């Protein structure tokens, strides 16, 4: 069984223009590391004492069980299980009930939270509480949670929502919204975006860019890559994601490579005619590497490019064999999310 029992961050041994070296350091086996904090972000302990989060290079801030993370005029990205990110908008907060990778539990207490899960392995579980609903993510995908009025949206993937003893399965394009009469199911337009959604997309693109150099400088024989892993990339100043066994695409359409597959970025396939020479899988990879096109999925993202490679995807999300399942098919049309990477806090 493929396990993801270690949260791995690589610290810097040496960095040079000719090529930096990554020194792997297992510093946490729990969820809740703050990867990026912009603006006013605070940690609140069980006694109500607040401390502003101001991460420094190679300093990692963890959210402990019982602590609350909140923003005023700020945004924050938190690492959950390897391949899953929690992102929070202005004037929002959540409490960390459990930070064990086998049972991550967070309670959305105010504002809006989004969870992007590019990979969700069998032994990793993520549960989000909002009001009186318990939401369990059963597939990799993209999810949104609101505190007031309480609501759950599934852009892609699948979630099981339990409230008042009843269970409801939500797939892509479906939502549940709380009201005085109870929780009401419905559909929503997955093409709709807001500042948090657009920031989450940019962050997903940056993570994919950082993945390329991190994957290239990491040996697939290193023991810590026995599962999906977080690696600190000193060039970007934050942790990126290395999948368990094969290239994945994020829900926003950006590629995450492994040390074994990243060379396709640096040595593109040679297109040969009539069956001679090196072939192509039709997606920019050599024929020996799986394309991972998710059937039944129409969620797509506009391309984002870096100097190293094109990170864009023309169709859907796809998952390697290490994920619980491929993206769920769901109602609603595909979402074409415009806009590439940009710096600053653009809205």
């Amino acid at each position: 069984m493929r396990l993801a029992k270690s949260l791995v961050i690589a610290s810097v041994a040496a960095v040079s223009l000719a090529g930096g070296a990554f020194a792997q350091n297992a510093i946490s086996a729990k969820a809740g590391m703050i990867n990026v904090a912009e603006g006013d972000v605070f940690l609140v302990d069980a006694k109500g004492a607040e401390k502003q989060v101001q991460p420094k290079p190679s300093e990692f801030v963890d959210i402990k069980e019982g602590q609350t993370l909140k923003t005023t005029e700020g945004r924050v990205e938190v690492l959950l299980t390897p391949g899953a990110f929690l992102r929070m908008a202005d004037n929002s907060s959540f409490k960390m009930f459990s930070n064990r990778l086998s049972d991550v539990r967070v309670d959305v207490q105010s504002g809006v939270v989004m969870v992007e899960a590019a990979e969700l392995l069998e032994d990793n579980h993520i549960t989000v509480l909002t009001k009186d609903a318990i939401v369990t993510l059963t597939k990799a995908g993209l999810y949104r949670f609101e505190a007031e009025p309480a609501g759950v949206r599934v852009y892609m993937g699948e979630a099981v929502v339990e409230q008042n003893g009843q269970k409801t399965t939500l797939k892509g394009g479906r939502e549940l919204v709380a009201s005085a009469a109870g929780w009401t199911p419905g559909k929503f337009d997955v093409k709709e975006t807001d500042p948090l959604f657009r920031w989450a997309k940019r962050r997903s693109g940056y993570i994919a860019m950082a993945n390329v150099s991190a994957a290239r400088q990491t040996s697939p024989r290193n023991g810590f890559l026995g599962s999906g892993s977080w690696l600190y990339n000193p060039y970007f100043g934050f942790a990126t994601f290395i999948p368990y066994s094969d290239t994945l695409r994020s829900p926003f359409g950006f590629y995450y490579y492994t040390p074994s597959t990243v060379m396709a970025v640096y040595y593109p396939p040679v297109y040969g005619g009539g069956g001679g020479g090196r072939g192509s899988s039709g997606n920019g990879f050599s024929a020996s590497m799986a394309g991972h096109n998710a059937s039944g999925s129409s969620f797509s993202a506009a391309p984002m490019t870096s100097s190293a490679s094109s990170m864009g995807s023309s169709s859907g999300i796809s998952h390697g064999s290490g994920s619980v399942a491929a993206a769920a098919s769901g109602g609603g049309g595909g979402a074409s999310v415009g806009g590439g990477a940009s710096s600053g806090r653009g809205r």
Side-chain angles (χ1 to χ4, degrees):
M1 183 179 294
R2 289 165 180 157
L3 307 179
K5 292 186 180 296
S6 61
L7 181 61
V8 182
I9 304 298
S11 61
V12 184
V15 178
S16 67
L17 294 177
F22 287 70
Q24 287 74 40
N25 227 0
I27 65 168
S28 177
K30 299 181 182 296
M33 194 190 88
I34 297 175
N35 200 29
V36 170
E38 299 180 359
D40 297 326
V41 180
F42 302 89
L43 265 178
V44 185
D45 64 21
K47 296 181 180 180
E50 294 186 1
K51 180 180 179 180
Q52 187 166 5
V53 177
Q54 296 177 315
K56 300 175 183 178
S58 68
E59 178 186 44
F60 309 116
V61 179
D62 291 312
I63 307 168
K64 296 178 175 57
E65 291 184 354
Q67 289 186 324
T68 297
L69 186 69
K70 76 171 190 178
T71 62
T72 52
E73 293 187 10
R75 297 182 294 204
V76 65
E77 176 180 88
V78 177
L79 308 183
L80 299 179
T81 62
F85 308 81
L86 182 151
R87 300 183 178 105
M88 195 161 60
D90 297 334
N91 301 310
S92 303
S93 65
F94 76 88
K95 184 176 182 178
M96 178 69 74
F97 277 147
S98 172
N99 59 9
R100 290 176 291 126
L101 297 184
S102 61
D103 183 28
V104 178
R105 287 178 174 261
V106 300
D107 180 15
V108 179
Q109 298 188 332
S110 63
V112 182
V113 164
M114 292 194 74
V115 174
E116 174 194 357
E119 185 170 54
L120 190 59
L121 301 183
E122 291 180 358
D123 288 342
N124 290 342
H125 298 91
I126 299 174
T127 302
V128 180
L129 313 177
T130 178
K131 198 177 179 180
D132 59 347
I134 303 172
V135 186
T136 302
L137 309 189
T138 57
K139 294 184 179 181
L142 185 64
Y143 306 88
R144 179 186 177 97
F145 305 90
E146 298 194 23
E148 190 60 43
V152 181
R153 283 187 168 187
V154 178
Y155 289 88
M156 169 178 289
E158 182 179 281
V160 176
V161 183
E162 182 177 357
Q163 79 283 339
N164 298 325
Q166 296 183 337
K167 291 186 178 181
T168 304
T169 299
L170 295 181
K171 297 185 178 182
R174 302 283 179 167
E175 67 177 355
L176 277 177
V177 180
S179 65
W183 288 80
T184 303
K187 297 181 180 180
F188 70 97
D189 185 358
V190 296
K191 296 180 181 179
E192 293 181 0
T193 67
D194 66 357
L196 174 61
F197 187 101
R198 293 188 290 273
W199 183 69
K201 182 194 169 186
R202 291 196 298 273
R203 286 297 312 155
S204 184
Y206 295 146
I207 296 293
M209 290 180 182
N211 160 272
V212 174
S213 58
R216 186 180 184 185
Q217 298 187 55
T218 301
S219 169
R221 293 185 294 273
N222 285 355
F224 68 84
L225 285 178
S227 64
S229 302
W230 300 118
L231 293 179
Y232 179 78
N233 188 320
Y235 301 115
F236 287 80
F238 52 74
T240 187
F241 168 59
I242 306 292
Y244 170 71
S245 64
D246 211 341
T247 302
L248 300 182
R249 281 204 302 264
S250 78
F252 293 103
F254 304 112
Y255 288 118
Y256 299 138
Y257 296 96
T258 71
S260 299
T261 63
V262 72
M263 297 314 294
V265 176
Y266 295 94
Y267 301 97
V270 176
Y271 293 87
R278 292 175 60 192
S280 169
S281 63
N283 61 3
F285 296 138
S286 60
S288 62
M289 190 166 75
H292 291 313
N293 290 312
S295 60
S297 172
S298 58
F299 194 95
S300 62
M304 175 181 288
T305 59
S306 72
S307 59
S309 65
S310 174
M311 302 287 184
S313 167
S314 59
S315 63
I317 182 177
S318 53
H319 306 280
S321 57
S323 58
V324 171
S329 58
S336 178
V337 185
S342 63
S343 60
R345 282 177 50 83
R347 297 289 183 176

